[in-house]
Amino acid sequence: MKYTKNVLKVIDDKEIISYNVSGKNGFEFEILNLGGVITKIMTPDKDGNLENIVLGYKDVENYIKNPFYYGGLIGRTAGRIYEGKVVIEGKEYDLNKNYNPHQGHGGYIGFSHKIWDVDVLEENDNITLKLSSKSYDNEENYPGNVDVVVYFKIYEDYRIEEIYEAVSDKTTLVNMTNHSYFNLSGNIKRPITEQYLKVDSNSILELDNTCVPTGKIVNVENTPFDFRAIKCVGKDIDDEHEQIKIGNGYDHVFLLDDGNNIYIEDRESKRTMSITTDQKAVVIYSMNSDDELEAYTGERPKNRFGICFETQAPPIGRNMCFIDDSILNKGEIYTQKTIYQFSVKN
């Protein structure tokens, strides 16, 4: 495997740099130091054609605002926090409310909008991109100075391991994830509603009408959220179920069972992706609105042309439900590991 590094642009005296890792078989992985954004994952289809299976912008400047969080590292916390209010060790914190009336994806300047330090580590069987950043005390009104490291380990066999680590000098909240929009048709050719999904989940978290968890756990049986057997993503995506209406499709927390497996396939290209994680949940988001910005294809991505699998702890809802899953005590090490395996189905 080999890697290349390119300065794409200088914005406000900061270099926007891409890091590309490629294998002899054509497998490619590319990120930016801006937001740790994944801009490219190139995998073959049944005929060996290599295409990009994540959404991304044509103009790198669009990642400055990145309103859809394309490919970004999300933190300190993923998802919404109800009204931005939390109590940590008896003290109330009023986090910035960028998702009025809630906080979402870490605030106005979350990890997906930071410039990260990147080191390249060449190992025997992989190339690792090590991203480092510091989130300072009171940033977005969170307590504690937090040192964060994220490793992307890229292997020749079409495998990516994503490993997160964080440590804080005060008890705080950390719940990180990746926000890539996948589309296994390649180069955003067809909607994700034509792809087939299996999720090892017996239950989801009920959302209120502002899309935060109520604290209630809902069994997926006989609902549009039952993906325990492989099912076309579009089969129930416009169902009359109240939770589907609230999310305008899928935008829900699936609680993962033993194995923590997620699998999706595109039956035309024969591409597949398996995801395993050590996290309790995955937020599945079916891109329920259009994007007004131009993608690398030259077109504006339409709703349902990408799907996110945000592996994480459950987000913090009403009455601070599930907050314990996001608490990082002073001096403890937060860890998270998610593995992506790509292949072509015979």
Side-chain angles (χ1 to χ4, degrees):
M1 303 192 80
K2 64 178 183 179
Y3 79 91
T4 56
K5 169 184 172 182
N6 292 295
V7 177
L8 303 179
K9 212 157 206 173
V10 178
I11 301 173
D12 296 331
D13 296 326
K14 295 177 181 177
E15 291 183 334
I16 309 301
I17 303 172
S18 69
Y19 294 81
N20 182 287
V21 176
S22 60
K24 295 176 182 177
N25 54 10
F27 183 37
E28 258 188 86
F29 174 83
E30 188 170 274
I31 64 167
L32 304 180
N33 64 335
L34 171 59
V37 167
I38 298 173
T39 58
K40 185 184 292 184
I41 301 177
M42 302 287 287
T43 70
D45 67 4
K46 65 183 188 300
D47 299 315
N49 297 311
L50 290 158
E51 293 174 309
N52 197 354
I53 58 166
V54 292
L55 272 62
Y57 291 123
K58 185 175 184 178
D59 186 345
V60 69
E61 282 206 34
N62 286 334
Y63 291 110
I64 299 293
K65 292 186 177 179
N66 199 2
F68 280 72
Y69 299 93
Y70 278 3
L73 292 173
I74 304 299
R76 293 186 191 187
T77 54
R80 295 170 179 82
I81 294 179
Y82 180 69
E83 293 187 346
K85 293 186 183 299
V86 292
V87 176
I88 302 171
E89 294 186 329
K91 182 177 178 180
E92 184 173 300
Y93 292 88
D94 193 6
L95 307 177
N96 288 344
K97 297 178 180 63
N98 58 310
Y99 270 40
N100 188 37
H102 311 305
Q103 183 182 86
H105 289 337
Y108 292 109
I109 308 294
F111 291 176
S112 57
H113 292 79
K114 286 178 171 287
I115 299 290
W116 292 70
D117 295 324
V118 182
D119 294 309
V120 182
L121 312 174
E122 296 185 78
E123 302 182 352
N124 289 334
D125 60 349
N126 72 83
I127 290 180
T128 297
L129 302 176
K130 177 186 176 184
L131 280 68
S132 306
S133 186
K134 191 179 188 75
S135 179
Y136 290 94
D137 187 34
N138 205 39
E139 190 172 289
E140 300 294 330
N141 293 338
Y142 286 95
N145 295 293
V146 180
D147 292 300
V148 183
V149 179
V150 183
Y151 300 90
F152 292 96
K153 301 172 80 74
I154 303 98
Y155 296 82
E156 189 91 37
D157 65 351
Y158 301 101
R159 175 166 44 106
I160 299 166
E161 295 181 359
E162 191 173 36
I163 302 162
Y164 304 76
E165 295 177 358
V167 64
S168 176
D169 62 3
K170 291 182 183 177
T171 297
T172 189
L173 301 175
V174 176
N175 180 18
M176 294 182 65
T177 195
N178 177 269
H179 209 286
S180 289
Y181 289 74
F182 293 94
N183 187 325
L184 299 188
S185 69
N187 291 348
I188 328 176
K189 287 198 299 294
R190 297 184 301 279
I192 53 91
T193 47
E194 297 177 8
Q195 292 163 33
Y196 285 76
L197 177 65
K198 183 179 183 295
V199 184
D200 290 343
S201 172
N202 288 302
S203 53
I204 64 164
L205 298 185
E206 179 186 73
L207 303 180
D208 70 10
N209 59 8
T210 65
C211 289
V212 294
T214 64
K216 182 180 178 182
I217 296 173
V218 179
N219 193 293
V220 300
E221 190 167 359
N222 298 319
T223 76
F225 301 92
D226 192 350
F227 286 95
R228 293 173 296 179
I230 196 164
K231 179 176 76 173
C232 185
V233 173
K235 182 177 185 294
D236 301 315
I237 201 168
D238 293 313
D239 192 87
E240 291 300 307
H241 192 284
E242 181 185 4
Q243 286 293 301
I244 287 287
K245 288 182 176 180
I246 285 172
N248 193 30
Y250 296 111
D251 190 6
H252 293 77
V253 184
F254 288 72
L255 299 179
L256 293 167
D257 303 327
D258 291 341
N260 299 350
N261 290 314
I262 303 151
Y263 171 84
I264 189 167
E265 65 181 36
D266 178 63
R267 293 187 173 176
E268 186 169 331
S269 70
K270 302 292 186 183
R271 289 187 179 93
T272 75
M273 177 176 68
S274 298
I275 302 174
T276 55
T277 183
D278 59 9
Q279 296 298 283
K280 291 184 177 180
V282 59
V283 174
I284 297 178
Y285 175 57
S286 54
M287 192 175 176
N288 301 322
S289 60
D290 296 341
D291 193 348
E292 295 301 316
L293 301 173
E294 192 176 23
Y296 55 75
T297 58
E299 299 178 352
R300 292 174 175 82
K302 297 177 182 177
N303 70 316
R304 311 273 166 81
F305 268 74
I307 187 167
C308 300
F309 300 103
E310 302 162 52
T311 55
Q312 60 178 90
I316 301 166
R318 288 180 172 269
N319 301 313
M320 292 192 296
C321 60
F322 308 110
I323 190 173
D324 289 347
D325 293 309
S326 293
I327 290 286
L328 178 64
N329 291 310
K330 175 182 176 180
E332 288 183 351
I333 299 175
Y334 165 88
T335 61
Q336 204 255 68
K337 184 174 183 178
T338 297
I339 301 171
Y340 305 86
Q341 180 68 64
F342 308 96
S343 66
V344 178
K345 193 172 183 179
N346 294 328

